[in-house]
Amino acid sequence: MPLSRRDAKRRIANARSAEDTFSLGLRLYTGEMVPKDFVEATQHFRAAADLGHALAQSMLGRSYSRGEGNDRDDEKAAHWFRLSADQGFAVAQYDLGERLFAGLGVAVNHVEAVRYYRLAADQGVFQAMHNLGTCYSLGQGVQQDYYEGARYYCLAANMGCARAQCVLGHRYLSGQGVLLDVGEAARWWRLSADQGNAGAQLSLGALLVGDFTGDARVPTDLRAGAKLLASAAQCVEPQYAAARLQALEALLRHADKREVVGACCIGCGATHGLKRCEKCGKARFCGMVCMRRMWPTHKRCCKKWAAQRDDAPE
């Protein structure tokens, strides 16, 4: 049934009012041209959301999920994300998928999570593509399919998703869902590592120092590998805690190689402000704490390198 002229005018007025209200809320949220104020921003988001503004509904969901401008409330966050998602807003579809998958504010429902991930992925949200790759690889919410999982990882990786690039590197190393190709594994890890992904830095570093079986296209490069392992070891982000520990373990495994101990402190991965071991002149440490802690490991090579140093011609 067509709208009457009066109803059409009311809808247009509400849309304009919602957009203006949301725009002011967004400026308050970001601090653009006005002092940042989460509380007032949230009030504007709520006013626009009540008028059906999809982006305002998504931002209100974010406010509740982060506790910005009001108390954190996962149920209210899921409610507003759903209203926005059902209007077709891609970011809200992804956020709702995350909540359905983890059971934040809603009951766990992997099938529904996959449905919303797919809607978001179809609109180009690469985080949703990455998550679909995980769902297919693990068989969560869909029938397990390594090839479909790799396809979604590839889509996300080609859009610059560092996590997907790192995972895709592992797929090429193992041949899971793709043809085994160590060169391709190294290429994707390098792209991810260049974005600061500690997991990719760990994997590429391990490949370059010889921890994985390589091929002619990925020659061993101990110094470059050590630098990558050092970067992973220095990462302080909580989600990379395991990669940090594995990188330190890898550095210790190769503490008998001059290129490695000369590239970074094997005790912590530091690469700046290093001091050479006075005895062998090869190993470098960030300070006395790491030097003393690593001495039981380093002393096995220190004496040999010191002798070679003493025998070297002037």
Side-chain angles (χ1 to χ4, degrees):
M1 180 178 178
L3 293 174
S4 66
R5 181 172 296 181
R6 181 178 179 181
D7 288 340
K9 286 183 177 180
R10 187 186 299 115
R11 285 200 177 185
I12 292 172
N14 284 344
R16 287 175 178 168
S17 175
E19 184 61 37
D20 292 342
T21 302
F22 169 73
S23 295
L24 179 55
L26 191 59
R27 286 200 294 273
L28 289 163
Y29 185 84
T30 60
E32 181 185 353
M33 297 185 293
V34 293
K36 187 178 291 188
D37 188 332
F38 287 147
V39 174
E40 194 171 347
T42 299
Q43 293 172 355
H44 283 79
F45 290 152
R46 184 176 289 106
D50 286 337
L51 293 171
H53 194 284
L55 187 47
Q57 291 168 342
S58 179
M59 290 300 296
L60 187 56
R62 176 183 293 186
S63 296
Y64 276 115
S65 70
R66 297 182 177 180
E68 295 175 337
N70 46 38
D71 293 335
R72 178 171 176 170
D73 190 321
D74 287 328
E75 289 187 7
K76 289 183 178 178
H79 167 74
W80 287 108
F81 282 140
R82 188 181 294 276
L83 289 178
S84 179
D86 288 344
Q87 289 199 69
F89 186 57
V91 174
Q93 291 168 341
Y94 166 72
D95 286 328
L96 181 58
E98 289 273 82
R99 293 185 165 271
L100 286 163
F101 194 88
L104 291 173
V106 291
V108 173
N109 190 329
H110 291 165
V111 174
E112 274 291 279
V114 167
R115 184 171 77 85
Y116 280 104
Y117 284 153
R118 200 184 306 280
L119 289 170
D122 288 344
Q123 295 192 66
V125 179
F126 63 71
Q127 296 93 334
M129 298 173 189
H130 168 274
N131 287 7
L132 280 172
T134 301
C135 288
Y136 274 105
S137 296
L138 299 178
Q140 294 179 311
V142 290
Q143 185 175 351
Q144 190 174 48
D145 187 332
Y146 291 131
Y147 296 98
E148 191 69 359
R151 185 177 76 84
Y152 274 110
Y153 281 135
C154 192
L155 289 172
N158 280 315
M159 291 187 70
C161 178
R163 288 191 302 161
Q165 291 168 343
C166 182
V167 174
L168 194 57
H170 286 284
R171 293 293 180 270
Y172 274 108
L173 185 71
S174 64
Q176 188 181 76
V178 293
L179 292 176
L180 192 150
D181 190 326
V182 179
E184 275 295 283
R187 184 174 77 86
W188 286 113
W189 280 335
R190 192 173 299 282
L191 289 172
S192 183
D194 288 346
Q195 294 192 65
N197 186 290
Q201 291 168 346
L202 166 66
S203 297
L204 182 57
L207 177 65
L208 292 177
V209 298
D211 282 353
F212 300 142
T213 301
D215 64 14
R217 289 181 297 164
V218 190
T220 299
D221 188 333
L222 292 172
R223 187 171 183 81
K227 291 281 189 182
L228 285 161
L229 291 172
S231 294
Q234 287 280 289
C235 183
V236 296
E237 296 179 43
Q239 66 267 33
Y240 293 126
R244 180 175 182 273
L245 291 175
Q246 291 175 47
L248 288 170
E249 290 171 358
L251 288 172
L252 284 176
R253 283 198 303 273
H254 296 278
D256 60 340
K257 298 179 176 67
R258 299 184 188 188
E259 295 89 343
V260 173
V261 297
C264 63
C265 172
I266 59 171
C268 66
T271 56
H272 299 290
L274 303 181
K275 297 180 180 179
R276 291 188 182 276
C277 172
E278 293 181 357
K279 296 186 178 187
C280 67
K282 301 298 181 184
R284 302 167 73 195
F285 298 94
C286 63
M288 290 303 298
V289 173
C290 278
M291 187 177 292
R292 288 169 180 163
R293 185 160 55 86
M294 291 295 105
W295 175 244
T297 299
H298 175 56
K299 68 179 181 181
R300 296 195 296 267
C301 298
C302 186
K303 185 176 181 179
K304 177 180 68 175
W305 292 340
Q308 293 172 351
R309 180 185 183 185
D310 293 338
D311 294 339
E314 296 293 328

